[in-house]
Amino acid sequence: MAPKRPDGAGALEHSKALSPAPVKPGSSTLYAALDLGTNSCRMLIAQPKGSGFHVVDSFSKSVQLGAGLEKTGRLSRGSMTRTIQALRICQQKLRKHKVKRMRLVATEACRRALNASEFIKRVHRETGLRLDIIETEEEARLAAISCAPLVSRKTENLLVVDIGGGSTELVWIDMSGVPKKQRAQSVMRLQSGFGAGTDNLPAARVIDWISVPLGVATLRDQFNDVEDDAARFALMSWFFEENLADFSPYHDTKARERFQIVGTSGTVTTVAASHLNLRRYDRTKVDGLSMSSAQIDKVIQSYLDMGPTGRRADPRIGQDRQALIMSGAAILQALMRCWPTDRLSVADRGLREGLLYAQMSADGVLSDGAL
């Protein structure tokens, strides 16, 4: 695992640091968040607005940084070149918008790769961007923060699931001691850490969290040698469930009322789009959607019935995602089997949104209104 870069690492314009603004930021200040994962490079540039933010610009591209990592333990030359090409576009957007408040992070692929430090230096040298390799706890915390606006006031126990390319983060949060109107805000306050809060406000309590080193890309790679589509899916789902054995809530089979699962990932939003039979993806219809286990199972079965060729031709899945959708679906189905609820809240949001919320909250530019 590559060493974590110092806190406060941001972005550099070849010879000049794009450091945090020397004056206190106001509502007109632009913020950026970049998430370099095992499979994708994604960035948001946004402006604070009320208790949330307005997106000014965005970028998303499949770079497959972790391709071959399972076998070699290293980032390949081709993967690094593809990723740097994408990061150059991000750097251009940051310069165009004159962004000074930013957090640019890399996750599982860079945590695991033996040559991650070399890659990070190359990124800085060729693009001017300085990436911060974050640890699993911070990744899990940011995923939970991003989903705060979707937390129901009725929810007392919350599971946030972030299915990534190289790992899957799960956070179990108890909000039973928090007044209903403050539950979403209590999740937002986790930006200061999973430990006790720094004030006297009612706090959401993190019961347990885990980062499973299996995401859509790494799980698929482990079972690439299984030719039968249905058998591969079953094995992936079983294997992922086995990796949850040490997660505390897994051992508690007592059914819970007021329990909510929020799932964030391309897998979850793709399954939701398929359930809604959308011809074109529509975030406004997907984000916040509630799906039952039966509805999720029906979509997954339709994917199995399609087979690889049919999934590749399905516009809701597409060429880029078809190779990864079944490993993601295996993770999703395993999670729904293990938890005391039969509904999933779909979140079209994730690490980038968590990074933005955390920066804006720390700077005090978000209002205290309902999320």
Side-chain angles (χ1 to χ4, degrees):
M1 181 182 295
K4 182 180 177 181
R5 294 192 67 82
D7 291 340
L12 297 178
E13 284 189 33
H14 296 293
S15 61
K16 181 181 179 182
L18 287 174
S19 57
V23 297
K24 184 177 180 180
S27 61
S28 63
T29 300
L30 291 182
Y31 290 74
L34 185 147
D35 168 18
L36 177 59
T38 302
N39 199 55
S40 301
C41 175
R42 297 178 292 181
M43 183 177 74
L44 287 178
I45 297 174
Q47 184 177 24
K49 185 177 181 181
S51 59
F53 52 80
H54 167 71
V55 175
V56 174
D57 203 348
S58 64
F59 176 80
S60 180
K61 186 172 181 61
S62 174
V63 294
Q64 300 179 51
L65 178 61
L69 180 60
E70 282 291 304
K71 291 183 178 179
T72 67
R74 300 176 65 84
L75 304 175
S76 71
R77 183 174 300 178
S79 297
M80 290 190 289
T81 299
R82 280 194 306 271
T83 302
I84 287 173
Q85 289 172 348
L87 288 170
R88 284 197 181 102
I89 298 174
C90 294
Q91 194 271 349
Q92 291 166 7
K93 287 178 177 286
L94 291 168
R95 181 184 291 177
K96 173 186 173 182
H97 292 287
K98 299 179 181 178
V99 181
K100 290 181 169 55
R101 309 290 289 184
M102 64 188 73
R103 189 87 194 281
L104 316 175
V105 307
T107 56
E108 186 68 10
C110 287
R111 284 194 294 261
R112 296 176 60 186
L114 297 174
N115 58 339
S117 179
E118 172 190 330
F119 170 65
I120 294 297
K121 291 176 182 177
R122 182 181 167 190
V123 168
H124 180 210
R125 184 172 63 250
E126 297 187 21
T127 72
L129 302 181
R130 183 170 292 163
L131 300 177
D132 178 7
I133 303 175
I134 60 172
E135 298 298 336
T136 53
E137 178 176 336
E138 184 173 9
E139 185 174 1
R141 177 162 47 85
L142 291 166
I145 293 168
S146 76
C147 295
L150 300 181
V151 175
S152 167
R153 291 186 176 187
K154 297 179 180 179
T155 299
E156 293 187 355
N157 285 273
L158 173 70
L159 176 68
V160 176
V161 180
D162 182 13
I163 305 173
S167 64
T168 299
E169 279 67 45
L170 299 93
V171 185
W172 180 27
I173 303 168
D174 178 11
M175 298 178 292
S176 58
V178 179
K180 291 182 179 181
K181 292 183 179 180
Q182 298 182 36
R183 285 176 180 170
Q185 287 286 357
S186 73
V187 175
M188 183 71 75
R189 288 195 291 272
L190 291 175
Q191 61 98 6
S192 59
F194 278 166
T198 57
D199 50 41
N200 295 321
L201 295 172
R205 188 166 59 99
V206 175
I207 302 299
D208 201 1
W209 71 275
I210 189 173
S211 179
V212 181
L214 293 169
V216 294
T218 46
L219 183 60
R220 175 204 60 187
D221 290 350
Q222 292 214 18
F223 291 90
N224 254 346
D225 59 336
V226 181
E227 295 184 4
D228 184 81
D229 197 41
R232 186 189 314 114
F233 173 79
L235 286 169
M236 288 189 297
S237 188
W238 167 82
F239 185 66
F240 186 84
E241 185 175 343
E242 285 290 299
N243 277 269
L244 294 180
D246 293 331
F247 192 37
S248 293
Y250 182 87
H251 298 292
D252 187 356
T253 57
K254 182 181 178 181
R256 281 192 178 82
E257 295 180 357
R258 306 180 189 87
F259 194 101
Q260 181 181 6
I261 297 182
V262 178
T264 170
S265 71
T267 295
V268 175
T269 55
T270 300
V271 169
S274 296
H275 166 65
L276 294 172
N277 199 27
L278 298 180
R279 293 186 177 183
R280 298 185 65 179
Y281 186 80
D282 186 342
R283 183 184 188 276
T284 62
K285 294 181 178 178
V286 170
D287 189 48
L289 176 72
S290 179
M291 295 185 67
S292 69
S293 295
Q295 290 168 333
I296 293 170
D297 289 344
K298 183 178 179 180
V299 171
I300 293 174
Q301 186 58 52
S302 74
Y303 291 165
L304 287 168
D305 293 342
M306 288 180 194
T309 302
R311 294 194 294 269
R312 191 176 297 111
D314 190 310
R316 293 158 301 190
I317 301 173
Q319 295 280 349
D320 289 344
R321 192 166 295 281
Q322 66 84 22
L324 303 171
I325 188 62
M326 294 316 296
S327 51
I331 292 171
L332 181 58
Q333 196 171 74
L335 290 167
M336 296 305 293
R337 282 199 304 266
C338 295
W339 288 81
T341 182
D342 64 353
R343 299 203 71 83
L344 172 79
S345 298
V346 178
D348 185 350
R349 54 189 72 215
L351 187 56
R352 294 176 302 170
E353 287 82 0
L355 287 164
L356 288 173
Y357 277 130
Q359 291 179 87
M360 293 176 186
S361 178
D363 284 349
V365 296
L366 297 179
S367 72
D368 294 329
L371 292 173

